[in-house]
Amino acid sequence: MCGIVGAIADRDVVPVLIEGLKRLEYRGYDSAGIAVVDEATVKRVRRTGRVAEMEAAAGAEGFHASLGIGHTRWATHGGVTEGNAHPHISHGELALVHNGIIENHEQQRDRLRALGYEFESQTDTEVIAHLIHHYQSQGHDLLAALQHAVKELDGAYAIAVISKRDPQRMVCARMGCPLLVGLGDGENFIASDVSAIVSATRRVIFLEEGDTADVTREHVRVFDAAGEEIQRDVHVSDVSLASLELGPYRHFMQKEIHEQPRAIADTIEAIIDENQFTPALFGAGAEKVLRDIDAVQILACGTSYYAGLTARYWIEAIAGIPCAVDIASEYRYREVVANPRQLIVTISQSGETLDTMEALKYAKSLGQERTLSICNVPESAIPRASKLVFYTRAGAEIGVASTKAFTTQLVALFALTGTLAKLHGRLDAQQETELLEALRHLPGSVQHALNLEPQIVAWSERFAPKQHALFLGRGVHYPIALEGALKLKEISYIHAEAYPAGELKHGPLALVDADMPVVVIAPNDKLLEKVKSNIQEVRARGGEMFVFTDQDSRFSDSEGVHVIRTPRHVGVLSPIVHAIPVQLLAYHAALARGTDVDKPRNLAKSVTVE
């Protein structure tokens, strides 16, 4: 959510800024703007709605400059208005963009008003612009003014600033929100996400907590939280431009659903190459850490939380280790009984999810130092704060609704399960061989599930007019029901809830009628007969059933019961395969309803605010 891009060069950077903002659209936003320093004048254009509208306005006003910053805003403080959109300007001299939330903005606003500053927006961000301008007016250069200002801010921020007083530089700061510097040849860039600048450079410096940076055409200087100049490592990004393009697909979500066989194959490659579950998958020193643990605590949000719920069944059943799963935003605020021998597992597609990062910090503050991050973005904040890391290899995920990141997270968690089981004496050689063989066949099984798409399209047409739906599952498939309900509501705006099928008679059954479609995840496992009984409960109330099962389950279509089968039951990895049909159902239901699939209202890809 929210995106930042900035550039300084000896060419017109306005096209760079606009292209960067377009590549950040996937993060979620409701307004966009750019500001430039042109002939010692700060110029700005902002628009609510899409970047394309702002682009048209910039073209009409003849924007061009060699220094500029841009922003896509996801509203927090103040409504979706042009006046609240970024960049914000102080006294016509200084322009600023900001991701995050400033918690003490009201106190700072009162102070700045007393100093004579007037406010034009409802945002917390405008406070920062005026505060930096205040220090500039006291004789500090732009960098020093920024460094003084951030010491007085409480909260999370990524900030980029330009000023007509100092037209040959831009400065930036980071605390709690991602920000990086891109290194070019006689030009340099800043961005909240490498995808914004990948067409200009792949060489990047990831700023650390408390860092500030001074960026000119010829140099980049980074300073730590104490103000000391420091050398940060330069990384070469492996994000490909192809991964940021739609190709033959209608939406990024559709593309990413169909990329899952490849993403899963890439993620399991190291396991298959080693032909074993090995602690080396999780980094140096992993064997000692994983061998010594006596429990697992998983922390995550949204879809990643559902991946964690699935893993709990695996870890307890296969590895024999107690496993708890918490929503990160709840864990960070409750009184936790700390266990220093517990493995803290954080799951985040972006590696920047604020609630998950803060939950990790809280766990570590309690003395729980055995930490593992499962993440899709190398060098992001959560992996850097963790002792161990497993990078999924899903590639860039642009659609707000997570698909391939979810299934590759499940693969990573299954690898963790196998490794823990082996280290704790719960997995003999024959069992390990069987689990590895299941992994080898997984990409093919996922492809078979994708081949069900034409049948799911037909179902989606029945879903499109509905306003509510129930999803049911039992055991390890209950989290997949949760994920299916989340996908349906976040992109089609059909209200959907998920329950363990056995809970129907404890309340949800009251909702069932002919207008409430019920989706059931019902593969041929030990709970199948129980699920069949639950289906009869629904049919007796006139509910219409949509059952995802497999060839072995002996289901048949009948009045009010529609069945789609995957080619075969894949055993313990069945939750991964059954995630595919619910993703496709949500996607095609959204298509039928005409919603904005990749950019669902009110949502963002990378959630970096509380």
Side-chain angles (χ1 to χ4, degrees), residues 342-364:
Q342 184 170 250
L343 178 67
I344 303 295
V345 180
T346 49
I347 313 171
S348 169
Q349 183 273 331
S350 68
E352 304 286 354
T353 309
L354 182 63
D355 284 317
T356 306
M357 184 69 198
E358 293 302 317
L360 173 59
K361 290 179 183 177
Y362 177 46
K364 290 169 69 175

Side-chain angles (χ1 to χ4, degrees), residues 13-31:
V13 300
V14 171
V16 176
L17 300 178
I18 290 174
E19 180 186 3
L21 294 181
K22 287 180 176 179
R23 295 199 183 280
L24 293 174
E25 286 187 292
Y26 77 94
R27 294 173 69 94
Y29 72 106
D30 42 53
S31 61

